[in-house]
Amino acid sequence: MTLRWTRRPEGSTWGDFGPDDELGRLNLLTPEKVLQGVAEVREGLTFCLSLPLDLPGGNVLNPRRHPPQITPTRRANGRPNMNFPVCEEVDGATDVICDDRALIHLQYSTQWDSLAHVGSLFDADGAGAAPTFYNGFRGGRDIVGPSAPEAADQPSRAKRLGIERLAETGMQGRAVMIDLRAHLGDARTRVGYDQLARILEADGVVVEPGDMVCLHTGFAERLIAMGGAPDPKLVHTLCAGLDGRDPRLLDWITRTGLCALIADNYAVETYPAGPGPACCATLPLHEHCLFKLGVNLGELWHLTPLADWLRARGRHRRGSREHARLLKEKPVCTAPRRFESALLPTPSGKLDARSIYRTRARCA
């Protein structure tokens, strides 16, 4: 077997889970971790951890991403398939049909980042730096798509490392809530290792290998309060994010063995990142997690109701593991080998702008 790489990034997990591994740290999400999550259930309550698909609203957070467009499909004669009386085509039929289609920017609202989302210019085989992703998978061969402006509407595809890996694994297990908002409020704060360690100590939070870690900042809650019209000045001055330039923070992510890192803010890390060396990543935490470790990131989740419920009941107390709960996420791919978010249809099977993406936590 010929390896895709002969050198790997310093501090990475490339090859640790096999030469063709596409799961990264999800290999630590074992049946034992699922049982640990189940053991946290005591009251059987559920919390929806996703924003409505049409939030934040507008394109203030990112000018390249726009709200979803949901329109009806069409019948053979061109008639919109919305409130369509089938008797127009079948005599005596009493059915009335609605059928939608959606144009979605997959990172607009609540999302998972796949390992194909962020790579790095890296020399994996001595042939020179080239677009490279987790475990040595290559841009242009394993992750493909157009590069010229005139071809921008052509299909793109992650042949490897796509979001379907999460769907196949099943994102259920023990999750840990770190309530940054309770300690820092809503001011924009760049959280490094020292500050994070103090919060973990104050709340008695312990992160174990295979845990999914949720960072509550309150950002998504503030977006909801803006009602789909986020203030372009205010929105960039709100809430905490991790300092991706802090090497001790990145080392903490490595040492804990966490398998996923989730936040209710825009990018988990503060963006733009602080100053770095002359040649470095603009998203250093993304590079560390997605490219080096194989740690999937969750962004723009709605964590406030759950975090407030846990804190109001003292479920963050020292030594009690009360900060933990079962996280149950069922990502279903929008199409084979997509890059970013995963969508879960509502029970009716319809794609609905208010509830197309559902991530749930079950609390004991």
Side-chain angles (χ1 to χ4, degrees):
M1 178 186 298
T2 301
L3 290 176
R4 285 180 302 280
W5 50 271
T6 57
R7 60 184 77 176
R8 69 179 191 175
E10 182 179 356
S12 76
T13 62
W14 291 18
D16 289 358
F17 302 109
D20 294 317
D21 176 61
E22 300 181 49
L23 298 180
R25 284 273 187 87
L26 289 185
N27 284 283
L28 303 181
L29 190 56
T30 62
E32 291 74 21
K33 294 304 298 186
V34 175
L35 289 175
Q36 286 181 17
V38 171
E40 302 290 344
V41 177
R42 298 177 192 170
E43 295 184 21
L45 301 177
T46 61
F47 293 80
C48 179
L49 304 184
S50 64
L51 291 172
L53 191 64
D54 51 359
L55 288 185
N59 62 343
V60 169
L61 289 184
N62 189 317
R64 296 182 298 276
R65 299 171 186 163
H66 300 272
Q69 300 176 30
I70 300 179
T71 55
T73 60
R74 294 178 180 272
R75 310 295 291 189
N77 63 1
R79 164 85 149 78
N81 206 12
M82 182 61 61
N83 296 317
F84 175 75
V86 179
C87 61
E88 291 187 10
E89 296 179 348
V90 180
D91 289 342
T94 60
D95 316 68
V96 177
I97 301 295
C98 295
D99 189 23
D100 302 318
R101 60 183 180 179
L103 174 63
I104 303 171
H105 290 70
L106 296 181
Q107 287 204 92
Y108 184 75
S109 190
T110 301
Q111 66 199 256
W112 280 109
D113 285 349
S114 82
L115 301 184
H117 174 40
V118 171
S120 184
L121 291 175
F122 181 72
D123 185 0
D125 54 10
T132 307
F133 295 81
Y134 171 75
N135 213 15
F137 291 104
R138 304 301 175 86
R141 183 183 66 198
D142 303 303
I143 291 87
V144 298
S147 57
E150 60 271 18
D153 291 331
Q154 296 301 307
S156 54
R157 183 184 183 191
K159 298 179 180 179
R160 311 296 290 267
L161 305 176
I163 199 69
E164 70 275 17
R165 299 286 90 91
L166 278 71
E168 293 162 358
T169 301
M171 299 301 288
Q172 295 89 33
R174 180 178 184 267
V176 175
M177 181 72 75
I178 301 176
D179 196 348
L180 300 179
R181 190 187 200 190
H183 295 267
L184 304 175
D186 288 354
R188 184 174 176 84
T189 307
R190 196 183 301 270
V191 178
Y193 172 77
D194 289 338
Q195 192 167 40
L196 179 65
R198 288 193 294 270
I199 292 172
L200 295 177
E201 175 67 19
D203 284 353
V205 175
V206 178
V207 179
E208 302 173 355
D211 283 347
M212 292 181 273
V213 173
C214 296
L215 302 168
H216 173 230
T217 73
F219 184 75
E221 189 74 5
R222 295 295 299 268
L223 286 179
I224 291 172
M226 295 180 190
D231 184 321
K233 294 182 179 179
L234 179 62
V235 76
H236 295 294
T237 66
L238 290 174
C239 301
L242 297 185
D243 184 358
R245 295 280 186 227
D246 184 345
R248 297 179 68 206
L249 178 69
L250 300 183
D251 182 61
W252 174 82
I253 295 172
T254 300
R255 288 186 292 105
T256 58
L258 60 84
C259 73
L261 188 56
I262 298 153
D264 60 352
N265 62 13
Y266 174 62
V268 181
E269 61 184 311
T270 53
Y271 180 78
C279 185
C280 65
T282 61
L283 290 165
L285 186 142
H286 278 64
E287 180 188 62
H288 186 72
C289 290
L290 299 174
F291 171 64
K292 292 184 178 182
L293 299 183
V295 171
N296 293 99
L297 300 176
E299 296 159 341
L300 286 174
W301 288 36
H302 187 206
L303 299 178
T304 295
L306 175 60
D308 289 351
W309 187 91
L310 291 170
R311 184 162 289 272
R313 287 154 182 81
R315 297 194 59 178
H316 61 286
R317 296 191 301 267
R318 181 182 304 278
S320 65
R321 293 168 56 97
E322 294 283 4
H323 53 272
R325 79 271 187 231
L326 170 67
L327 185 69
K328 186 176 183 181
E329 158 63 294
K330 297 180 179 177
V332 177
C333 299
T334 56
R337 275 62 170 178
R338 297 302 300 174
F339 288 86
E340 312 294 354
S341 302
L343 302 178
L344 179 64
T346 60
S348 66
K350 294 286 291 176
L351 296 177
D352 182 271
R354 301 298 296 182
S355 58
I356 188 172
Y357 187 106
R358 288 303 184 213
T359 307
R360 291 195 175 273
R362 185 171 294 275
C363 283

